[in-house]
Amino acid sequence: MFNRRYTITSFHQRTSQIAKKQKVKFIVSCDISNFYDRLNLHRLENSLLSFGCDKNKVKTINELLFFWSNRDSYGLPVGSNGSRILAEASLVGVDNYLNKIGVDFIRFVDDYRLFAHDSTTAHYWLTLLIERLWAEGLTINKSKTKIESSDIYQKKQSTNDKPKSNNDENKNPFKIIAGYGGTVPTKFRELSAKDIEVYKVKSIPDLIRNISESDFVEAEKLIELIKTTISSGNFQHIVDTIQALEKYPQLSLYVVDALIKHADNISSEIAESIKKAFSNKLDSNKYIPEYLALAYTRILGHLKYYDKERLLQYFRELRRNSGAYIGRATLEALETLLTREDTIELRNAFDRSDLWEKRQIIRLVDKFLSEEEKRPWLKNVRYIDKEDCFMAETAMPSKKANKKKK
C-alpha cells in the first residue's frame, strides 16, 4: 500500500498502457465526490470486522474517529497514511463487486478507470459503479466523470506537458456533463416557432448517418435529432433514433417523453414499430438499470404504444434485485387496459409481491374486477395487512373516507 512506486503518476501511466490494448475502445474516468468527508464510519467498522480484524482494535479506531468527527457518523481525517488504510478498506467491497461482474478497471484511492470495448458497455459499467457506490452512501464527482475513446485519451496524455490554450480544440467532447449528474434532460420541452424553423430544415438521414458512424455520440447530437424529427413531423426514421440510444442510454427518458407528448402525430404503423423497438429493449434476461426500465415501461404503458403482453411477461420474470420501484412502475403501466384473467393472475401474485407492488395490485383489482368478485378479497387484504394504513385504506376505505368521496 505504501510502495513508493505506486503513485498517482504510476496510476496514470498504467491507464495509458491499458488504453493502448486493441480491445479497449473507451475509457471511463471518475472519482468519488468528497470521499473522505462522506465515508460512513459505521459501514467502515462493519467492513473491518468482516475482514477478521481484532474487535477491540476496531472499536478503538471507531471511538477515535467519532471523537475527531465530533460524534458525527461520517468523515476521515485527510492526508494521513492511517486514513489511507481505512479509506482503502472501505472500498474493498466495491472492488470485489466490480471484479465479480467482469468490469475491467483499476483504482487509486477514490480514482477509478474503467476500460470498455464499446460505448454501450462503458455506460453500463459506469451505471453499475454508481449504483454500488450509492449502496455505500457515496456518489461520483459529476464534474470529473467522463467517457472518452482510447484514441482521444492517448492524445490527451501525449499533450499533457504542453501549454493549454483556451480554444475549443483542447475541449474534451466526451465529458459526461449530464445524465449521471441529473442534468441531461429527461423531459422534452416543447419547441418554439423559432426553434421549429431552425430544426425542420435539417436532414434527418444525415444526422442519423453521422451518429451511426460514430463510436461515441454526444448528447447534443441525439437531442438535435429528436428536435429535428419533432419539428419536421417526419417519424419514418424514429426506430433508427431509438437504436442510437445504445450509444447514450441516459437520453432514453428524454426520447420517451417526446414520443409520448407527440403520440397524436405518429401513425399507427410507426407506433407499432416504436412499440416493438422498446419491447425488445425490455429484456428480462439481462440486467437493465432501473432508470432505463422505468422509461421502457412508461412508453409501453401508453395507449398509443401499449404492449400488455410484454409488460406482463416482464413482471412475471422480474428479479428481486431489479430495483426498488420497477415492479410497481410495471404494474402502473399495465393499468391502461387489463382483462379479468390478467387481473386475477396479478392478484395471485399478491403474497409474493413487495409493499409497493401490493398497493398497486389492490388498485388494479378494484378497477378491473366486478364488485362481487373483488369485495371479499379486498376485505381479506384489509384484515391481514391492517398494519399498513395505506394498503388498508386502498383496499377498503373507511366510512369517513367514503362519505367524503361521495
Side-chain angles (χ1 to χ4, degrees):
M1 184 172 292
F2 302 114
N3 188 332
R4 292 181 182 275
R5 291 177 297 177
Y6 185 56
T7 63
I8 188 65
T9 301
S10 66
F11 172 72
H12 289 308
Q13 290 173 346
R14 180 59 180 155
T15 303
S16 296
Q17 290 173 3
I18 299 175
K20 295 175 182 178
K21 293 183 178 180
Q22 188 175 3
K23 67 176 183 178
V24 176
K25 302 298 182 183
F26 293 92
I27 299 173
V28 180
S29 303
C30 66
D31 64 16
I32 301 173
S33 180
N34 300 318
F35 177 48
Y36 278 77
D37 292 338
R38 296 305 304 160
L39 201 150
N40 186 296
L41 300 183
H42 295 296
R43 287 195 176 97
L44 174 60
E45 179 185 15
N46 293 331
S47 294
L48 293 174
L49 291 174
S50 71
F51 301 148
C53 296
D54 183 272
K55 291 184 179 179
N56 291 328
K57 292 178 181 177
V58 172
K59 182 179 179 181
T60 302
I61 290 172
N62 202 47
E63 289 176 352
L64 186 61
L65 292 175
F66 268 89
F67 171 76
W68 278 333
S69 65
N70 294 318
R71 310 309 299 175
D72 195 359
S73 297
Y74 296 89
L76 283 177
V78 178
S80 68
N81 285 340
S83 290
R84 166 78 185 281
I85 294 173
L86 298 175
E88 291 284 353
S90 70
L91 291 175
V92 168
V94 178
D95 292 344
N96 289 341
Y97 169 75
L98 295 178
N99 280 321
K100 182 172 65 176
I101 61 176
V103 177
D104 187 4
F105 78 101
I106 59 174
R107 174 174 66 83
F108 182 82
V109 193
D110 64 332
D111 242 333
Y112 280 90
R113 297 292 181 271
L114 282 59
F115 307 97
H117 61 275
D118 57 36
S119 60
T120 302
T121 303
H123 281 288
Y124 173 62
W125 282 352
L126 180 55
T127 299
L128 293 176
L129 174 59
I130 290 169
E131 290 180 350
R132 186 61 183 81
L133 289 174
W134 181 257
E136 299 292 332
L138 302 170
T139 59
I140 63 168
N141 188 329
K142 295 173 286 188
S143 63
K144 294 182 179 180
T145 300
K146 55 192 174 184
I147 300 176
E148 54 196 341
S149 72
S150 57
D151 291 339
I152 294 291
Y153 185 89
Q154 291 177 61
K155 288 179 182 177
K156 281 174 54 185
Q157 293 302 108
S158 65
T159 57
N160 268 349
D161 296 330
K162 297 179 181 179
K164 294 183 179 179
S165 65
N166 293 324
N167 59 37
D168 289 334
E169 290 181 0
N170 287 332
K171 186 178 179 182
N172 174 21
F174 303 124
K175 188 174 181 180
I176 300 293
I177 58 172
Y180 298 103
T183 51
V184 149
T186 58
K187 300 291 184 182
F188 178 81
R189 196 171 81 178
E190 293 300 339
L191 302 174
S192 66
K194 185 177 180 180
D195 290 332
I196 292 173
E197 289 299 316
V198 170
Y199 286 107
K200 72 178 184 181
V201 297
K202 295 178 180 287
S203 169
I204 294 176
D206 288 346
L207 293 173
I208 291 175
R209 184 168 55 255
N210 289 335
I211 289 172
S212 63
E213 290 175 354
S214 302
D215 291 329
F216 194 98
V217 180
E218 299 172 63
E220 291 77 9
K221 295 294 184 183
L222 274 168
I223 292 173
E224 180 185 22
L225 176 56
I226 286 296
K227 289 182 176 180
T228 302
T229 300
I230 298 298
S231 299
S232 65
N234 178 10
F235 292 90
Q236 295 295 325
H237 302 280
I238 196 64
V239 173
D240 294 324
T241 303
I242 295 171
Q243 298 304 327
L245 287 172
E246 292 290 333
K247 296 182 178 181
Y248 211 114
Q250 292 74 27
L251 279 172
S252 296
L253 288 81
Y254 178 82
V255 173
V256 163
D257 193 58
L259 293 174
I260 288 176
K261 287 178 177 176
H262 291 269
D264 293 341
N265 301 326
I266 297 175
S267 68
S268 299
E269 182 181 355
I270 293 177
E272 184 66 22
S273 299
I274 293 172
K275 181 183 80 172
K276 289 180 179 178
F278 281 106
S279 293
N280 290 335
K281 288 179 176 292
L282 195 64
D283 185 353
S284 56
N285 293 320
K286 67 178 182 179
Y287 172 82
I288 305 175
E290 188 175 25
Y291 77 96
L292 288 181
L294 290 171
Y296 303 157
T297 55
R298 183 188 173 207
I299 193 166
L300 295 177
H302 188 274
L303 190 59
K304 186 84 174 188
Y305 316 103
Y306 192 52
D307 192 343
K308 182 182 70 175
E309 294 307 319
R310 190 69 197 88
L311 291 170
L312 280 170
Q313 187 65 22
Y314 185 68
F315 182 75
R316 293 185 193 113
E317 300 172 353
L318 195 62
R319 299 174 183 176
R320 291 296 94 186
N321 63 347
S322 298
Y325 186 69
I326 184 58
R328 168 67 184 251
T330 305
L331 291 170
E332 287 177 345
L334 283 164
E335 195 170 352
T336 304
L337 185 63
L338 285 177
T339 64
R340 173 180 174 274
E341 289 73 21
D342 299 330
T343 308
I344 291 175
E345 178 189 344
L346 296 175
R347 186 186 68 180
N348 292 338
F350 183 84
D351 291 337
R352 62 179 183 272
S353 300
D354 64 29
L355 189 61
W356 289 90
E357 295 166 354
K358 284 182 175 181
R359 293 174 182 173
Q360 181 61 14
I361 290 173
I362 291 172
R363 288 171 55 89
L364 296 174
V365 168
D366 188 42
K367 180 175 181 179
F368 292 105
L369 293 186
S370 65
E371 187 70 26
E372 293 76 13
E373 193 167 18
K374 70 184 179 184
R375 185 172 181 80
W377 185 81
L378 293 174
K379 187 176 182 180
N380 187 54
V381 167
R382 181 177 175 84
Y383 178 76
I384 294 175
D385 294 292
K386 57 186 176 182
E387 295 300 322
D388 183 353
C389 59
F390 293 101
M391 193 184 303
E393 277 299 303
T394 304
M396 296 289 286
S398 62
K399 292 181 180 179
K400 186 176 179 180
N402 274 329
K403 185 177 180 181
K404 185 176 181 181
K405 185 177 180 181
K406 289 179 181 180

